[in-house]
Every structure is written in C-alpha cells, then in structure tokens.
Amino acid sequence: MIKVLTTLINGLSLGGVYALIALGYTMVYGIAKMLNFAHGDIIMVGSYTILIFFNMIGIPLVGLIASTLISVLVCVVFGIVIERTAYRPLRGASPLAVLITAIGVSYLLQSIAQIVFGTAPRTVILNFMGTITIGALKINVATIVTLAVAIAVMAALTLFVNKTRTGRAMLAVSEDRGAAQLAGVSVNTIIAVTFAIGSALAAIAGAFTVMKTYTVEPTMGAMPGIKAFTAAVIGGIGSIPGAMAGGILLGVIETACDAVPVLSPYKIAIEFALLIIVLLIKPTGILGKKKREKV
C-alpha cells in the first residue's frame, strides 16, 4: 500500500511538470493556431539560467527562488523574441511552413547551447528540501511543491483567461481572429503575450525538471517537450483543464510503469499507444471540443 501511494504521489508530481509544459503548448495552439515545437527547448534555456545563477548565489533556498525568477524573465524574453522574429513574419503562411520553422528554431537553440555550454551534462544539486514522514510514508518535499505549484498555476491561468480583459481578448482571438481584430483587439500583442506566458510556464517546468534530474544539457527539453505535447493532445489541445488532465495522466502512467520492472523498458511505447487509442476513440482529446469550421 505504501509503495502504491508513493508511486501515485510521484506520478502526480511528474504529471504536474508535464502539465506545466503542456499548458504552454495548448495556449499557443489555442490562440495562435500553431504548434511551437521549440517550446521544449525554452525549458533548456531556463534550466541553464537556473544553473548559472543558483551557483552564483550559493544560498540553497534563496538561490533556487531567485534563479527561478530570473529564469522566468529570461524565458519570457526568449519567447517574445522568437515569436517576433521567427513566427510573426509567417502569420499568413501555410501550417507546414510554420511547423518547419518551429523545428528549425528548436535545433537552433540546441546548437547555440552546445556552442556556449558544451555537450556534456552539467550538474546542479537542488535536493536540499528533504522529506516529510507520515507514518510509514516518506514524501519528498520537492514532489509536493511541484504538484502544488502546477495546480496553482492552472487555477491562476484559468482565472486570468476568463476574468481579465487580456484573457477575454485571448478567447476572442482564439474564436475568430478577424472579428477580434475588427473589435479593436491587437492580435499581434495578444499572441506575443501568449508566447510570454507559455515561456514563463516552461521556465517553471525547467526548475522542477532540474530538481528531479540534477542535470542540465542542451537536448534536455526534447523528450519532456514531446511528452508534454502528447499530454496536451490526450487532454484536448487548446483546453487548459485538458492540458492539466493529460499531463497528470501521463505522469501517473509513466511512474506506474517505472514501478513495474517488466513494463519499465516500454513506458514510452505505452504512453504513445495511449495517445493513439485516445485519438481513435475521441480525436479532440479527453476534454477537447469539436469546432465548426467556417467555409
């Protein structure tokens, strides 16, 4: 029973990280109608920022908080610059052109990181939070913090989108970009804000990823990015609760597979098999909704 509870809690924590990344994917797709495959590499940018400033500050908790905040600022700037220079000029281009550009931006960021930091993984130890004991159950504090932050971010993001003027403008652009523009909404500004929010979420996810792995390397964002995209599609891409649900589901499945030695080598295959099954049964994802296309 203790092992099952530990596996579940670790799965929820890992799912929280996937959910944070998936929220960035789903927001950009829902509003800009594009798949930003460079999103996973923003995690890498944020992680290297944390590595630099955490080692520079030296005080564990202060260093983690300060370096994470700096990482958020750096990733927001990267997100806005990428949107302005790489994606905005392609606003009217075909989805294939945008997709190829996104892949190109991803490899560009990885290559720059390899030039600046080298290809060898760097180590940064963020395991100073310790554990709490509840009876026979031992839980890593970082695991609880990860899950709590993921839930808080999703709640804040939902309130922001539904209750603020900028959020309502995002919904308007998502529904009908042309009509929103006629109503006085600056589409370019809204899309830039969306990229900024998504990049900030990627920076936070990068912090929690480093807390779990203790390593930073140029390609570290590739697989989490793909898994988070899978989570967004499973949950219903374009849906904020769907991204959260897909991330949590994927994290629990992955941790459960790791707990079973026979299944552990096949966990990635199982995750993508789940994606195929969900798409066959409900192509819009678990919480996705069908949208009518105007002719």
Side-chain angles (χ1 to χ4, degrees):
M1 186 63 181
I2 297 298
K3 185 176 180 181
V4 172
L5 284 174
T6 302
T7 300
L8 178 61
I9 293 169
N10 289 335
L12 291 172
S13 174
L14 178 61
V17 176
Y18 288 154
L20 287 171
I21 308 169
L23 284 168
Y25 271 114
T26 208
M27 285 193 67
V28 170
Y29 179 82
I31 294 166
K33 295 296 183 288
M34 64 160 288
L35 296 174
N36 179 23
F37 279 114
H39 187 65
D41 297 289
I42 298 296
I43 299 170
M44 175 268 296
V45 172
S47 298
Y48 271 113
T49 304
I50 290 171
L51 169 72
I52 293 168
F53 286 96
F54 181 79
N55 290 336
M56 189 181 299
I57 295 169
I59 306 170
L61 184 58
V62 175
L64 176 60
I65 295 172
S67 60
T68 301
L69 291 175
I70 296 169
S71 170
V72 168
L73 292 175
V74 170
C75 288
V76 165
V77 172
F78 264 81
I80 293 173
V81 170
I82 289 170
E83 188 278 328
R84 182 66 183 86
T85 58
Y87 299 140
R88 190 176 297 185
L90 299 175
R91 193 80 82 224
S94 69
L96 181 60
V98 179
L99 179 63
I100 293 171
T101 301
I103 294 171
V105 172
S106 173
Y107 281 110
L108 175 63
L109 291 176
Q110 291 180 25
S111 298
I112 291 174
Q114 289 174 354
I115 293 171
V116 175
F117 300 102
T119 57
R122 301 282 189 94
T123 301
V124 52
I125 304 299
L126 302 178
N127 63 344
F128 53 82
M129 291 188 182
T131 59
I132 59 174
T133 303
I134 304 174
L137 181 65
K138 289 186 177 181
I139 307 172
N140 196 315
V141 175
T143 298
I144 299 173
V145 172
T146 302
L147 184 58
V149 169
I151 293 171
V153 166
M154 192 202 75
L157 201 55
T158 302
L159 288 173
F160 173 79
V161 170
N162 292 319
K163 301 297 182 181
T164 66
R165 184 175 181 180
T166 302
R168 289 193 291 270
M170 287 178 172
L171 292 175
V173 172
S174 175
E175 289 294 329
D176 192 323
R177 188 180 297 180
Q181 198 161 14
L182 289 174
V185 175
S186 174
V187 173
N188 286 336
T189 300
I190 291 301
I191 292 177
V193 169
T194 304
F195 268 83
I197 293 172
S199 299
L201 296 176
I204 297 170
F208 290 125
T209 300
V210 174
M211 286 169 67
K212 288 178 180 295
T213 63
Y214 310 138
T215 58
V216 182
E217 56 185 323
T219 58
M220 64 173 290
M223 185 53 72
I226 292 172
K227 289 182 179 180
F229 172 68
T230 302
V233 174
I234 289 173
I237 194 161
S239 166
I240 292 175
M244 189 71 184
I248 294 296
L249 178 60
L250 212 64
V252 170
I253 289 173
E254 182 171 328
T255 308
C257 289
D258 281 333
V260 181
V262 176
L263 297 178
S264 184
Y266 309 105
K267 63 182 179 183
I268 295 177
I270 292 171
E271 290 168 352
F272 286 104
L274 174 65
L275 171 65
I276 294 169
I277 292 168
V278 170
L279 291 179
L280 287 174
I281 297 172
K282 196 171 187 291
T284 56
I286 296 171
L287 298 179
K289 296 179 181 178
K290 288 184 178 180
K291 287 188 178 181
R292 294 181 180 179
E293 296 290 338
K294 294 182 180 180
V295 179

